[in-house]
Amino acid sequence: MRTIAEINEKIKKGKAVVVTAEEVIDIVQEKSYKKAYETIDVVTTGTFGPMCSSGVFINFGHSNPPIRMQSILLNDVCAYGGLAAVDTYIGATEVSQKRGMEYGGGHVIEDLIAGKDIKLHALSSGTDCYPRKEILTTINKDNINQAYMFNPRNAYQNYPAATNSTNKTIYTYMGTLLPNYGNITYSTSGELSPLLNDPYLRTIGVGTRIFLGGGVGYVAWQGTQHKVDVERSANGIPLVHAATLAVIGDIKGMSTEYVRGAVFDKYGVTLFVGVGVPIPVLDEEMLKYVSVKNSEIYTKLVDKSGNVNIDKKYNYAELRSGTVKFNGKAVHTAPLSSLDVARKIACTLKEWINRGTFELTEKVADLPCESVVHPLEIREIK
Amino acid sequence: MSKLKLKLSFDKDCVTKPVIYELVKKYDVMTNILSANIEYGNRGNMILEIKGKEENLSLTLEYFKSLNIKYEIYAEAILWDESKCINCGSCTAVCPTQALTMGKDDLLHFDKDKCVVCQLCINACPIRIISVEL
Ligand code: SF4
Ligand code: SF4
């Protein structure tokens, strides 16, 4: 048994042994679990995929005379006007009023992080204390007060692979799906993915310090649709959507290498977000979890047209090979999340810990270990 | 021997003409239909690769003009802005010829020679870094 405090002592002295969730697999194969456990203190993870439930809180500062902004546009993308006078939230999926789906909240966030000037146009009905009725100016990350990302749902623990049973191409958040089971897409960093390396969230909870978008962030809460009571493989890995994280972090430390606005064809705008979580190897059980490999991580296949109930699962080694067998035929598979960037995230986090600039945190509270996801009932309005 | 990739757009009248046959017969060019999309007895378009002597290719283009077939000349392949690529792999989902594939290094690989300029990858790329030069 080792504690997070002990690991942090080692980090301070530059003596902690940190490896990525890919590297640990080989180490465990060479040595026994026992030997490997004795040497490894921390395993770093990473993921870089489209995460729609993302956005940024901004405080613009007050103009003279001041305005209480009610309708707010950033580069012609609508931001929320229902907070205090000059506070707003810009969500990743909001689309431009001028350019439609080709530009949206995700791109505003990317441009903000890039340091570009963003056009701000806001309207107000005017009040005695906030007389101004309109403002047109530009803002950038250096002339606004706060700008922090708060993503209600990121880092989904596993996600079903997608295909299309109909005879027409369909356009989804899982990419373009060709007719008649013409392809299969999947979105994960597999053995590198944060929540697949700690399937029961033993070490991840409220307050966990993480890598977010190239800077430092924190786990703020359970993510929306967080679910733990799901079907799992014998190794504890969920076969479907399960746990999720709500995360927070200052965009001023972020980089566009790890935050990118994106367009899913005929679907809409989203944001690629880079998330990395350090996992302390507290005991041999944790070492087992972090050394899980792609061939042991299964996911279900889902018909995104919603017509056919497919009873089929694949592991990520199969999906990553480029083709899988389905209904007796070879079907082409394609990823949607970038393994290359996920690997860079895990390596960057490892470097931060090695340099002593990033220490691990004890969680302040557990994420719920029981939770139900309700469907939305359509009720009659009385 | 030169080669050209073309997009032909026809209207009603020329759909019925044996255009491809004429190309081979009259102008001695090799043709390779990369993709064709012809509404039954109506109008349509086709992406075609033609190979042959330079002067015969020019004559072929004249021939298209005389038939009122509109053509656009494509670059050899699509343009991929590699420096902006995040290597997500979304484009590989739709590429019919495996010109775009994910390599063992988990980076996107583009094999120009296999590209048939079908342009499906252009909209499938969420970062919008694939384009085609006419
Ligand atoms: S245009 Fe794109 S999708 Fe079509 S063959 Fe070329 S690379 Fe593949
Ligand atoms: S979809 Fe675009 S960003 Fe993704 S791998 Fe293909 S070219 Fe690169």
Side-chain angles (χ1 to χ4, degrees), chain A residues 320-350:
Chain A
R320 275 186 56 195
S321 74
T323 43
V324 296
K325 271 249 155 92
F326 178 76
N327 284 348
K329 268 197 270 174
V331 180
H332 176 59
T333 61
L336 300 175
S337 92
S338 172
L339 206 54
D340 178 57
V341 181
R343 195 171 285 136
K344 279 193 189 121
I345 291 170
C347 290
T348 306
L349 192 48
K350 171 174 145 175

PDB file of all heavy atoms in Angstrom, chain A residues 320-350:
ATOM      1  N   ARG A 320      -9.068  -1.260 -33.808  1.00  0.00           N
ATOM      2  CA  ARG A 320      -7.918  -0.485 -34.298  1.00  0.00           C
ATOM      3  C   ARG A 320      -7.203  -1.152 -35.454  1.00  0.00           C
ATOM      4  O   ARG A 320      -6.406  -0.518 -36.141  1.00  0.00           O
ATOM      5  CB  ARG A 320      -6.946  -0.221 -33.152  1.00  0.00           C
ATOM      6  CG  ARG A 320      -7.331   1.006 -32.355  1.00  0.00           C
ATOM      7  CD  ARG A 320      -6.291   1.328 -31.323  1.00  0.00           C
ATOM      8  NE  ARG A 320      -4.975   1.487 -31.922  1.00  0.00           N
ATOM      9  CZ  ARG A 320      -3.856   1.482 -31.235  1.00  0.00           C
ATOM     10  NH1 ARG A 320      -3.883   1.306 -29.930  1.00  0.00           N
ATOM     11  NH2 ARG A 320      -2.705   1.656 -31.837  1.00  0.00           N
ATOM     12  N   SER A 321      -7.466  -2.420 -35.687  1.00  0.00           N
ATOM     13  CA  SER A 321      -6.773  -3.114 -36.780  1.00  0.00           C
ATOM     14  C   SER A 321      -7.213  -2.599 -38.154  1.00  0.00           C
ATOM     15  O   SER A 321      -6.566  -2.839 -39.156  1.00  0.00           O
ATOM     16  CB  SER A 321      -7.036  -4.617 -36.692  1.00  0.00           C
ATOM     17  OG  SER A 321      -8.360  -4.878 -37.117  1.00  0.00           O
ATOM     18  N   GLY A 322      -8.356  -1.877 -38.210  1.00  0.00           N
ATOM     19  CA  GLY A 322      -8.805  -1.313 -39.488  1.00  0.00           C
ATOM     20  C   GLY A 322      -9.956  -2.065 -40.128  1.00  0.00           C
ATOM     21  O   GLY A 322     -10.693  -1.496 -40.930  1.00  0.00           O
ATOM     22  N   THR A 323     -10.118  -3.343 -39.802  1.00  0.00           N
ATOM     23  CA  THR A 323     -11.301  -4.074 -40.282  1.00  0.00           C
ATOM     24  C   THR A 323     -11.749  -5.060 -39.205  1.00  0.00           C
ATOM     25  O   THR A 323     -10.920  -5.597 -38.469  1.00  0.00           O
ATOM     26  CB  THR A 323     -11.036  -4.924 -41.549  1.00  0.00           C
ATOM     27  OG1 THR A 323      -9.796  -5.595 -41.383  1.00  0.00           O
ATOM     28  CG2 THR A 323     -11.061  -4.134 -42.819  1.00  0.00           C
ATOM     29  N   VAL A 324     -13.053  -5.265 -39.132  1.00  0.00           N
ATOM     30  CA  VAL A 324     -13.590  -6.319 -38.268  1.00  0.00           C
ATOM     31  C   VAL A 324     -14.606  -7.112 -39.080  1.00  0.00           C
ATOM     32  O   VAL A 324     -15.087  -6.658 -40.115  1.00  0.00           O
ATOM     33  CB  VAL A 324     -14.279  -5.758 -36.995  1.00  0.00           C
ATOM     34  CG1 VAL A 324     -13.280  -5.047 -36.102  1.00  0.00           C
ATOM     35  CG2 VAL A 324     -15.440  -4.844 -37.356  1.00  0.00           C
ATOM     36  N   LYS A 325     -14.902  -8.310 -38.603  1.00  0.00           N
ATOM     37  CA  LYS A 325     -15.925  -9.130 -39.247  1.00  0.00           C
ATOM     38  C   LYS A 325     -17.283  -8.745 -38.686  1.00  0.00           C
ATOM     39  O   LYS A 325     -17.462  -8.678 -37.473  1.00  0.00           O
ATOM     40  CB  LYS A 325     -15.657 -10.603 -38.922  1.00  0.00           C
ATOM     41  CG  LYS A 325     -14.740 -11.281 -39.921  1.00  0.00           C
ATOM     42  CD  LYS A 325     -15.545 -12.304 -40.725  1.00  0.00           C
ATOM     43  CE  LYS A 325     -14.919 -12.555 -42.069  1.00  0.00           C
ATOM     44  NZ  LYS A 325     -13.974 -13.660 -42.075  1.00  0.00           N
ATOM     45  N   PHE A 326     -18.230  -8.494 -39.584  1.00  0.00           N
ATOM     46  CA  PHE A 326     -19.595  -8.262 -39.129  1.00  0.00           C
ATOM     47  C   PHE A 326     -20.536  -8.931 -40.118  1.00  0.00           C
ATOM     48  O   PHE A 326     -20.397  -8.744 -41.329  1.00  0.00           O
ATOM     49  CB  PHE A 326     -19.891  -6.755 -39.039  1.00  0.00           C
ATOM     50  CG  PHE A 326     -21.306  -6.470 -38.621  1.00  0.00           C
ATOM     51  CD1 PHE A 326     -21.698  -6.628 -37.302  1.00  0.00           C
ATOM     52  CD2 PHE A 326     -22.251  -6.076 -39.556  1.00  0.00           C
ATOM     53  CE1 PHE A 326     -23.012  -6.394 -36.920  1.00  0.00           C
ATOM     54  CE2 PHE A 326     -23.572  -5.840 -39.178  1.00  0.00           C
ATOM     55  CZ  PHE A 326     -23.943  -5.996 -37.860  1.00  0.00           C
ATOM     56  N   ASN A 327     -21.471  -9.723 -39.639  1.00  0.00           N
ATOM     57  CA  ASN A 327     -22.367 -10.502 -40.508  1.00  0.00           C
ATOM     58  C   ASN A 327     -21.584 -11.269 -41.572  1.00  0.00           C
ATOM     59  O   ASN A 327     -21.987 -11.324 -42.729  1.00  0.00           O
ATOM     60  CB  ASN A 327     -23.385  -9.589 -41.206  1.00  0.00           C
ATOM     61  CG  ASN A 327     -24.485  -9.156 -40.247  1.00  0.00           C
ATOM     62  OD1 ASN A 327     -24.596  -9.705 -39.145  1.00  0.00           O
ATOM     63  ND2 ASN A 327     -25.282  -8.190 -40.657  1.00  0.00           N
ATOM     64  N   GLY A 328     -20.424 -11.782 -41.183  1.00  0.00           N
ATOM     65  CA  GLY A 328     -19.630 -12.582 -42.114  1.00  0.00           C
ATOM     66  C   GLY A 328     -18.809 -11.795 -43.118  1.00  0.00           C
ATOM     67  O   GLY A 328     -18.098 -12.374 -43.930  1.00  0.00           O
ATOM     68  N   LYS A 329     -18.931 -10.439 -43.063  1.00  0.00           N
ATOM     69  CA  LYS A 329     -18.184  -9.629 -44.031  1.00  0.00           C
ATOM     70  C   LYS A 329     -17.132  -8.797 -43.314  1.00  0.00           C
ATOM     71  O   LYS A 329     -17.314  -8.425 -42.151  1.00  0.00           O
ATOM     72  CB  LYS A 329     -19.142  -8.679 -44.764  1.00  0.00           C
ATOM     73  CG  LYS A 329     -19.694  -9.283 -46.047  1.00  0.00           C
ATOM     74  CD  LYS A 329     -20.273  -8.207 -46.943  1.00  0.00           C
ATOM     75  CE  LYS A 329     -21.732  -7.985 -46.659  1.00  0.00           C
ATOM     76  NZ  LYS A 329     -22.411  -6.940 -47.307  1.00  0.00           N
ATOM     77  N   ALA A 330     -16.063  -8.463 -44.030  1.00  0.00           N
ATOM     78  CA  ALA A 330     -15.063  -7.572 -43.448  1.00  0.00           C
ATOM     79  C   ALA A 330     -15.575  -6.140 -43.547  1.00  0.00           C
ATOM     80  O   ALA A 330     -15.929  -5.676 -44.625  1.00  0.00           O
ATOM     81  CB  ALA A 330     -13.750  -7.714 -44.195  1.00  0.00           C
ATOM     82  N   VAL A 331     -15.665  -5.450 -42.426  1.00  0.00           N
ATOM     83  CA  VAL A 331     -16.134  -4.066 -42.433  1.00  0.00           C
ATOM     84  C   VAL A 331     -14.993  -3.155 -41.976  1.00  0.00           C
ATOM     85  O   VAL A 331     -14.276  -3.462 -41.024  1.00  0.00           O
ATOM     86  CB  VAL A 331     -17.349  -3.885 -41.499  1.00  0.00           C
ATOM     87  CG1 VAL A 331     -17.824  -2.435 -41.514  1.00  0.00           C
ATOM     88  CG2 VAL A 331     -18.472  -4.809 -41.916  1.00  0.00           C
ATOM     89  N   HIS A 332     -14.853  -2.047 -42.700  1.00  0.00           N
ATOM     90  CA  HIS A 332     -13.807  -1.093 -42.436  1.00  0.00           C
ATOM     91  C   HIS A 332     -14.113  -0.309 -41.153  1.00  0.00           C
ATOM     92  O   HIS A 332     -15.233   0.145 -40.959  1.00  0.00           O
ATOM     93  CB  HIS A 332     -13.755  -0.169 -43.661  1.00  0.00           C
ATOM     94  CG  HIS A 332     -12.792   0.927 -43.535  1.00  0.00           C
ATOM     95  ND1 HIS A 332     -11.445   0.692 -43.334  1.00  0.00           N
ATOM     96  CD2 HIS A 332     -12.945   2.263 -43.553  1.00  0.00           C
ATOM     97  CE1 HIS A 332     -10.824   1.853 -43.257  1.00  0.00           C
ATOM     98  NE2 HIS A 332     -11.709   2.819 -43.382  1.00  0.00           N
ATOM     99  N   THR A 333     -13.132  -0.151 -40.280  1.00  0.00           N
ATOM    100  CA  THR A 333     -13.331   0.615 -39.046  1.00  0.00           C
ATOM    101  C   THR A 333     -12.500   1.891 -39.074  1.00  0.00           C
ATOM    102  O   THR A 333     -11.429   1.916 -39.665  1.00  0.00           O
ATOM    103  CB  THR A 333     -12.905  -0.193 -37.803  1.00  0.00           C
ATOM    104  OG1 THR A 333     -11.518  -0.509 -37.914  1.00  0.00           O
ATOM    105  CG2 THR A 333     -13.701  -1.475 -37.670  1.00  0.00           C
ATOM    106  N   ALA A 334     -13.017   2.929 -38.429  1.00  0.00           N
ATOM    107  CA  ALA A 334     -12.275   4.193 -38.396  1.00  0.00           C
ATOM    108  C   ALA A 334     -12.420   4.850 -37.028  1.00  0.00           C
ATOM    109  O   ALA A 334     -13.506   4.861 -36.452  1.00  0.00           O
ATOM    110  CB  ALA A 334     -12.789   5.139 -39.480  1.00  0.00           C
ATOM    111  N   PRO A 335     -11.324   5.401 -36.510  1.00  0.00           N
ATOM    112  CA  PRO A 335     -11.399   6.101 -35.228  1.00  0.00           C
ATOM    113  C   PRO A 335     -11.905   7.524 -35.405  1.00  0.00           C
ATOM    114  O   PRO A 335     -11.885   8.058 -36.512  1.00  0.00           O
ATOM    115  CB  PRO A 335      -9.939   6.112 -34.767  1.00  0.00           C
ATOM    116  CG  PRO A 335      -9.146   6.122 -36.029  1.00  0.00           C
ATOM    117  CD  PRO A 335      -9.959   5.379 -37.055  1.00  0.00           C
ATOM    118  N   LEU A 336     -12.376   8.143 -34.348  1.00  0.00           N
ATOM    119  CA  LEU A 336     -12.770   9.555 -34.389  1.00  0.00           C
ATOM    120  C   LEU A 336     -11.946  10.381 -33.414  1.00  0.00           C
ATOM    121  O   LEU A 336     -11.924  11.598 -33.480  1.00  0.00           O
ATOM    122  CB  LEU A 336     -14.250   9.706 -34.005  1.00  0.00           C
ATOM    123  CG  LEU A 336     -15.274   8.994 -34.864  1.00  0.00           C
ATOM    124  CD1 LEU A 336     -16.654   9.156 -34.253  1.00  0.00           C
ATOM    125  CD2 LEU A 336     -15.263   9.547 -36.269  1.00  0.00           C
ATOM    126  N   SER A 337     -11.306   9.709 -32.464  1.00  0.00           N
ATOM    127  CA  SER A 337     -10.512  10.458 -31.493  1.00  0.00           C
ATOM    128  C   SER A 337      -9.050  10.168 -31.778  1.00  0.00           C
ATOM    129  O   SER A 337      -8.707   9.104 -32.279  1.00  0.00           O
ATOM    130  CB  SER A 337     -10.924  10.086 -30.073  1.00  0.00           C
ATOM    131  OG  SER A 337     -10.138   9.041 -29.576  1.00  0.00           O
ATOM    132  N   SER A 338      -8.208  11.141 -31.498  1.00  0.00           N
ATOM    133  CA  SER A 338      -6.814  11.047 -31.923  1.00  0.00           C
ATOM    134  C   SER A 338      -5.937  10.363 -30.877  1.00  0.00           C
ATOM    135  O   SER A 338      -5.712  10.885 -29.793  1.00  0.00           O
ATOM    136  CB  SER A 338      -6.260  12.434 -32.196  1.00  0.00           C
ATOM    137  OG  SER A 338      -4.874  12.355 -32.422  1.00  0.00           O
ATOM    138  N   LEU A 339      -5.449   9.197 -31.248  1.00  0.00           N
ATOM    139  CA  LEU A 339      -4.555   8.467 -30.356  1.00  0.00           C
ATOM    140  C   LEU A 339      -3.213   9.169 -30.254  1.00  0.00           C
ATOM    141  O   LEU A 339      -2.563   9.172 -29.209  1.00  0.00           O
ATOM    142  CB  LEU A 339      -4.355   7.060 -30.924  1.00  0.00           C
ATOM    143  CG  LEU A 339      -4.012   6.021 -29.908  1.00  0.00           C
ATOM    144  CD1 LEU A 339      -5.032   6.003 -28.802  1.00  0.00           C
ATOM    145  CD2 LEU A 339      -3.959   4.670 -30.586  1.00  0.00           C
ATOM    146  N   ASP A 340      -2.808   9.772 -31.357  1.00  0.00           N
ATOM    147  CA  ASP A 340      -1.526  10.468 -31.381  1.00  0.00           C
ATOM    148  C   ASP A 340      -1.504  11.592 -30.342  1.00  0.00           C
ATOM    149  O   ASP A 340      -0.561  11.720 -29.567  1.00  0.00           O
ATOM    150  CB  ASP A 340      -1.292  11.022 -32.791  1.00  0.00           C
ATOM    151  CG  ASP A 340      -0.008  11.803 -32.887  1.00  0.00           C
ATOM    152  OD1 ASP A 340       1.045  11.218 -32.566  1.00  0.00           O
ATOM    153  OD2 ASP A 340      -0.043  12.979 -33.262  1.00  0.00           O
ATOM    154  N   VAL A 341      -2.589  12.393 -30.317  1.00  0.00           N
ATOM    155  CA  VAL A 341      -2.620  13.491 -29.351  1.00  0.00           C
ATOM    156  C   VAL A 341      -2.820  12.942 -27.935  1.00  0.00           C
ATOM    157  O   VAL A 341      -2.226  13.452 -26.975  1.00  0.00           O
ATOM    158  CB  VAL A 341      -3.696  14.534 -29.725  1.00  0.00           C
ATOM    159  CG1 VAL A 341      -3.706  15.682 -28.725  1.00  0.00           C
ATOM    160  CG2 VAL A 341      -3.460  15.078 -31.123  1.00  0.00           C
ATOM    161  N   ALA A 342      -3.618  11.885 -27.788  1.00  0.00           N
ATOM    162  CA  ALA A 342      -3.822  11.269 -26.470  1.00  0.00           C
ATOM    163  C   ALA A 342      -2.470  10.852 -25.872  1.00  0.00           C
ATOM    164  O   ALA A 342      -2.199  11.062 -24.686  1.00  0.00           O
ATOM    165  CB  ALA A 342      -4.740  10.063 -26.589  1.00  0.00           C
ATOM    166  N   ARG A 343      -1.636  10.284 -26.731  1.00  0.00           N
ATOM    167  CA  ARG A 343      -0.307   9.837 -26.287  1.00  0.00           C
ATOM    168  C   ARG A 343       0.543  11.039 -25.873  1.00  0.00           C
ATOM    169  O   ARG A 343       1.226  10.995 -24.859  1.00  0.00           O
ATOM    170  CB  ARG A 343       0.351   9.079 -27.450  1.00  0.00           C
ATOM    171  CG  ARG A 343       1.534   8.266 -27.076  1.00  0.00           C
ATOM    172  CD  ARG A 343       1.961   7.385 -28.249  1.00  0.00           C
ATOM    173  NE  ARG A 343       1.067   6.249 -28.443  1.00  0.00           N
ATOM    174  CZ  ARG A 343       0.612   5.844 -29.633  1.00  0.00           C
ATOM    175  NH1 ARG A 343       0.949   6.484 -30.731  1.00  0.00           N
ATOM    176  NH2 ARG A 343      -0.169   4.790 -29.712  1.00  0.00           N
ATOM    177  N   LYS A 344       0.439  12.126 -26.640  1.00  0.00           N
ATOM    178  CA  LYS A 344       1.193  13.348 -26.283  1.00  0.00           C
ATOM    179  C   LYS A 344       0.737  13.864 -24.919  1.00  0.00           C
ATOM    180  O   LYS A 344       1.549  14.357 -24.140  1.00  0.00           O
ATOM    181  CB  LYS A 344       0.958  14.439 -27.333  1.00  0.00           C
ATOM    182  CG  LYS A 344       1.824  14.260 -28.551  1.00  0.00           C
ATOM    183  CD  LYS A 344       1.813  15.511 -29.432  1.00  0.00           C
ATOM    184  CE  LYS A 344       2.499  15.198 -30.739  1.00  0.00           C
ATOM    185  NZ  LYS A 344       1.646  15.391 -31.921  1.00  0.00           N
ATOM    186  N   ILE A 345      -0.560  13.766 -24.650  1.00  0.00           N
ATOM    187  CA  ILE A 345      -1.093  14.243 -23.371  1.00  0.00           C
ATOM    188  C   ILE A 345      -0.523  13.417 -22.219  1.00  0.00           C
ATOM    189  O   ILE A 345      -0.033  13.961 -21.231  1.00  0.00           O
ATOM    190  CB  ILE A 345      -2.643  14.192 -23.380  1.00  0.00           C
ATOM    191  CG1 ILE A 345      -3.180  15.250 -24.354  1.00  0.00           C
ATOM    192  CG2 ILE A 345      -3.212  14.395 -21.982  1.00  0.00           C
ATOM    193  CD1 ILE A 345      -4.668  15.144 -24.637  1.00  0.00           C
ATOM    194  N   ALA A 346      -0.563  12.092 -22.363  1.00  0.00           N
ATOM    195  CA  ALA A 346      -0.036  11.219 -21.309  1.00  0.00           C
ATOM    196  C   ALA A 346       1.451  11.496 -21.086  1.00  0.00           C
ATOM    197  O   ALA A 346       1.925  11.519 -19.942  1.00  0.00           O
ATOM    198  CB  ALA A 346      -0.276   9.754 -21.667  1.00  0.00           C
ATOM    199  N   CYS A 347       2.182  11.753 -22.176  1.00  0.00           N
ATOM    200  CA  CYS A 347       3.624  12.021 -22.049  1.00  0.00           C
ATOM    201  C   CYS A 347       3.886  13.381 -21.415  1.00  0.00           C
ATOM    202  O   CYS A 347       4.812  13.533 -20.618  1.00  0.00           O
ATOM    203  CB  CYS A 347       4.304  11.950 -23.416  1.00  0.00           C
ATOM    204  SG  CYS A 347       4.380  10.283 -24.050  1.00  0.00           S
ATOM    205  N   THR A 348       3.057  14.381 -21.772  1.00  0.00           N
ATOM    206  CA  THR A 348       3.225  15.713 -21.188  1.00  0.00           C
ATOM    207  C   THR A 348       2.967  15.677 -19.685  1.00  0.00           C
ATOM    208  O   THR A 348       3.735  16.246 -18.894  1.00  0.00           O
ATOM    209  CB  THR A 348       2.241  16.712 -21.841  1.00  0.00           C
ATOM    210  OG1 THR A 348       2.427  16.661 -23.247  1.00  0.00           O
ATOM    211  CG2 THR A 348       2.458  18.121 -21.353  1.00  0.00           C
ATOM    212  N   LEU A 349       1.922  14.978 -19.302  1.00  0.00           N
ATOM    213  CA  LEU A 349       1.580  14.873 -17.884  1.00  0.00           C
ATOM    214  C   LEU A 349       2.719  14.178 -17.130  1.00  0.00           C
ATOM    215  O   LEU A 349       3.110  14.584 -16.026  1.00  0.00           O
ATOM    216  CB  LEU A 349       0.265  14.101 -17.765  1.00  0.00           C
ATOM    217  CG  LEU A 349      -0.461  14.077 -16.431  1.00  0.00           C
ATOM    218  CD1 LEU A 349      -0.594  15.465 -15.834  1.00  0.00           C
ATOM    219  CD2 LEU A 349      -1.847  13.454 -16.606  1.00  0.00           C
ATOM    220  N   LYS A 350       3.262  13.160 -17.749  1.00  0.00           N
ATOM    221  CA  LYS A 350       4.390  12.440 -17.157  1.00  0.00           C
ATOM    222  C   LYS A 350       5.580  13.392 -16.946  1.00  0.00           C
ATOM    223  O   LYS A 350       6.201  13.405 -15.884  1.00  0.00           O
ATOM    224  CB  LYS A 350       4.768  11.289 -18.103  1.00  0.00           C
ATOM    225  CG  LYS A 350       6.038  10.545 -17.771  1.00  0.00           C
ATOM    226  CD  LYS A 350       6.186   9.370 -18.712  1.00  0.00           C
ATOM    227  CE  LYS A 350       7.655   9.138 -19.041  1.00  0.00           C
ATOM    228  NZ  LYS A 350       7.829   7.929 -19.867  1.00  0.00           N
TER     229      LYS A 350
END
